[in-house]
Amino acid sequence: MAGDQSRNRSRRRAAPVPNLPKRSDQRKFLPEVQGLRAVAVLMVVAYHVWFGRISGGVDVFLLISSFLLTGQFTRKLENGRALELFKYWAHLFKRLLPLIAVTLLLTLLGTYLFLPETRWTGTLGQTWASLFYYQNWFLAAESVDYYATDHSAASPLQHFWSLSIQGQIFILWPLIFAVGAMIARAGKLRIRAVLLYLFGAVFAVSLVFSIITTNTNQAFAYFDTRTRLWEFALGSMLALILPYLDFKRSTRIVFGWLGVVAMLTCGMILQVGQQFPGYMALWPTLAAAFVIVAGFTDSKFGADRFLSWKPLVRLGDSSYALYLFHWPLLVFFLVDTGRDHAGAVAGTVIIAISLVAAFLATKFIDTPIRRSKWIEQKRRRAILTIAVCIALVAAPLSVWQLRIHADELALQAQDEAAQSEVFRNYPGALALQPGFVDAADPDLPLRPALTALDKQWVTFGKACEGSLAPADGTLTDNCVQTELTQKPKKTIVVVGDSHAQQLSGALNEVARKNNWQVVALLLGGCDFGAENVSSGRGEECVDFNKSALDYVLKLKPDAVLTLATKSVADSPEEHVPAGYESAVRSIASEGIDVLGVRDNPRFVANMASCVAQSSSEDCAVQQASHLAASNPAESLNQIDGAHMIDLTDQLCKDGVCSPVVGNVLVYLDQNHLTWDFAKTMAPALGERIAAATGWDVK
């Protein structure tokens, strides 16, 4: 009886596996999978460096990771061995973090040497995100954040998004195996079947979620862990069913080459960056699955013969380091040379340097630590290795951030200590006034600090409340106000996009001196008055404008301040947004003054970065090439109650628009004014409001 029970337990512990020689599930080392990994990383590197595209190779990496992990854990469970999760995690991250630490340290050095100060803060934040495996969520949030600084500039750490997702999976997947083991024991079920159900459920739910999210918000979905779970689940299911797949050798030869060709052509045919993940990512993942199913064919015509080529397998050993190193090298080269792509010759050099660096790092850093018997003897030594890697990055990173913060506090202290000196040293727009005498101390730093531009967006500090709170839920997240003023002399509503928001930096200064209440209805990227879904932010913008107009007509403020024109980057083209005149007429007909301010120049290049890398004189532009010859909104002054205000003379003098005026940085990016500069425009704005409306303005 005892013997029978033992045999029964043995049968429950291990599912019957067919005796299929030389299959992927029965060999400890899979050279064709290692070669597949090498092909995937070469695709990633070549597409990035030479073609400026995304290949789909990362998706192959994700599938291979889960395939190998699942095979490892399933064998443990079927053989009755403990999972030892903490030991696994300690061993895994002890192996992964050394090369990550090296990459991050070198990237910090490259950031200091090659990137403008305007990008330091963002890169430092991404360094923390990369070190602790949440870079994908960092990038996901930035992808849908209209106010994230300079979307056009690639980060030297952007490629860590996929490593972050993998790190999260390396935590989650073993937990799923632990749950599966408990279910199998409790229900006396075969572990392989239980796992197949679990990963099948993850695959189905995640794929549906991925398709829906990719269709509705692709930029966020691309970095979302949840939209990628199915790719890992597919690799796990493949590992679980592989022992039961029995195809003829000729069929497997076809599978192998079909998979290789599909992998290599994916990035050429599909716009991976704009279409993935969703169902499109089935292309590279199923291609990799075909190669794995083909396995070892022992045929000179098989794809495995190519994938098992020793140089390719050796490259597979260094694929992790190659992936880590190539992207920062490419970004620093592009920034240093001012190019938008590397080109054939320079790209080849970048790839060659990346290959050599990857080989050396693997040989002298990764392999010794991974194979160290001393570290493996005790778990605490692995944990110590992890801690050392984290500390090596965290120490200089923290010091750098503290230094930046200290510099910002020093400027703030100067403000509080002597406003008169601030006014003298940082006159901003006042320096453009006739008769201005520059009395600033020489060699002063610019304001704001180039490392603090993310703090230069105008904020109001309070959500709309009381009688100012919108009844329409559409505006709940878009309505802000200055501190509630007791018996305000005037109430002004600012309506519009981020440019209207930045103009509020000047308006709020005027309001503070005159006891005005300011309310702002803001939606970045949405032109006020837009009535067509093809403009601004589409339907969201149309709904916002309708609700904003209803809010204004119900509140009946003394005036509405809006942006009256829209300029085009590096072009004299400038126009009144479609629907704006109609909105102005609707508001003015209710006896509400409309203050329509002309737009500022816009640029293709980041003006703050230009100043950081060059001089303000070199970055200055001609007004005639960035704004229309006259204000396109001038004709709207014929509408009773409409007042078109032109502040161009606060930005440009004698036909030249400089990115630094009165020792103050004018632009925080390609087109938005800094809050510090907007404040210096307050006197001119107050005077022009008074002249237009007849109000008594201090």
Side-chain angles (χ1 to χ4, degrees), residues 114-120 149-150 152-153 335 446 450 453 604-616 619 659-660 665 667-670:
F114 299 111
L115 295 190
E117 291 179 56
T118 53
R119 294 179 60 181
W120 285 4
T149 304
D150 202 358
S152 63
V335 170
L446 291 179
L450 291 168
L453 296 182
V604 172
N606 185 312
M607 296 301 282
S609 295
C610 182
V611 171
Q613 295 172 299
S614 185
S615 66
S616 59
C619 301
V660 176
L665 193 65
Y667 300 97
L668 64 87
D669 55 18
Q670 293 95 329

Side-chain angles (χ1 to χ4, degrees), residues 11 14-18 78 190 192 243-244:
R11 283 195 294 270
V17 179
E78 290 183 333
R190 292 174 177 170
R192 196 173 286 255
Y244 304 97

Side-chain angles (χ1 to χ4, degrees), residues 19-95:
N19 184 23
L20 301 174
K22 296 183 179 180
R23 291 303 302 270
S24 296
D25 59 292
Q26 296 172 303
R27 290 176 290 137
K28 290 185 177 180
F29 178 66
L30 309 176
E32 72 277 5
V33 175
Q34 194 72 339
L36 181 63
R37 194 199 301 266
V39 170
V41 76
L42 286 175
M43 287 169 54
V44 171
V45 173
Y47 273 73
H48 280 167
V49 176
W50 280 329
F51 309 122
R53 291 169 63 96
I54 300 175
S55 64
V58 166
D59 302 87
V60 175
F61 272 121
L62 303 185
L63 181 134
I64 292 174
S65 295
S66 61
F67 171 79
L68 296 175
L69 185 153
T70 300
Q72 175 186 351
F73 274 87
T74 303
R75 286 191 295 271
K76 276 188 176 183
L77 292 174
E78 290 183 333
N79 292 327
R81 294 160 53 199
L83 292 177
E84 297 182 297
L85 298 187
F86 289 106
K87 180 180 179 181
Y88 166 77
W89 288 324
H91 172 79
L92 174 71
F93 289 105
K94 172 268 296 181
R95 180 172 61 85

Side-chain angles (χ1 to χ4, degrees), residues 218-259:
Q218 190 273 335
F220 189 92
Y222 191 87
F223 301 111
D224 190 337
T225 302
R226 298 167 297 178
T227 63
R228 300 281 182 171
L229 290 176
W230 68 265
E231 298 184 60
F232 291 94
L234 179 60
S236 293
M237 291 191 297
L238 177 62
L240 293 168
I241 66 173
L242 190 58
Y244 304 97
L245 300 179
D246 185 14
F247 296 103
K248 295 179 180 179
R249 185 167 71 168
S250 58
T251 302
R252 290 193 286 123
I253 291 172
V254 172
F255 279 177
W257 283 114
L258 180 63

Side-chain angles (χ1 to χ4, degrees), residues 190-381:
R190 292 174 177 170
I191 184 62
R192 196 173 286 255
V194 172
L195 292 174
L196 197 56
Y197 277 113
L198 289 176
F199 288 118
V202 172
F203 174 84
V205 173
S206 174
L207 180 57
V208 171
F209 177 79
S210 182
I211 292 171
I212 295 173
T213 309
T214 301
N215 186 55
T216 57
N217 191 354
Q218 190 273 335
F220 189 92
Y222 191 87
F223 301 111
D224 190 337
T225 302
R226 298 167 297 178
T227 63
R228 300 281 182 171
L229 290 176
W230 68 265
E231 298 184 60
F232 291 94
L234 179 60
S236 293
M237 291 191 297
L238 177 62
L240 293 168
I241 66 173
L242 190 58
Y244 304 97
L245 300 179
D246 185 14
F247 296 103
K248 295 179 180 179
R249 185 167 71 168
S250 58
T251 302
R252 290 193 286 123
I253 291 172
V254 172
F255 279 177
W257 283 114
L258 180 63
V260 169
V261 172
M263 275 179 53
L264 294 175
T265 57
C266 175
M268 299 178 187
I269 297 173
L270 301 180
Q271 286 290 343
V272 175
Q274 288 74 47
Q275 297 174 319
F276 274 37
Y279 67 90
M280 288 288 190
L282 284 166
W283 183 320
T285 51
L286 288 179
F290 270 104
V291 174
I292 294 173
V293 169
F296 179 70
T297 64
D298 196 22
S299 169
K300 62 181 180 180
F301 301 111
D304 56 298
R305 185 180 180 88
F306 158 66
L307 294 173
S308 300
W309 184 40
K310 286 186 178 180
L312 204 58
V313 173
R314 289 290 300 276
L315 178 59
D317 296 338
S318 301
S319 60
Y320 178 51
L322 179 56
Y323 181 81
L324 284 170
F325 294 162
H326 85 283
W327 182 254
L329 277 173
L330 173 62
V331 171
F332 291 138
F333 170 80
L334 295 179
V335 170
D336 188 53
T337 60
R339 298 189 190 182
D340 56 5
H341 65 281
V345 176
T348 301
V349 173
I350 290 172
I351 292 175
I353 294 174
S354 301
L355 284 167
V356 172
F359 173 77
L360 294 175
T362 301
K363 182 176 181 179
F364 294 109
I365 299 175
D366 178 65
T367 301
I369 293 176
R370 177 161 44 88
R371 295 181 179 177
S372 172
K373 294 181 180 179
W374 181 82
I375 296 176
E376 287 299 310
Q377 283 176 352
K378 294 184 179 181
R379 189 183 306 169
R380 65 172 177 266
R381 292 174 181 171

Side-chain angles (χ1 to χ4, degrees), residues 570-592:
D570 289 354
S571 169
E573 182 182 345
E574 184 184 3
H575 62 275
V576 175
Y580 180 75
E581 181 176 349
S582 174
V584 169
R585 291 186 181 278
S586 297
I587 295 170
S589 66
E590 295 296 318
I592 303 168

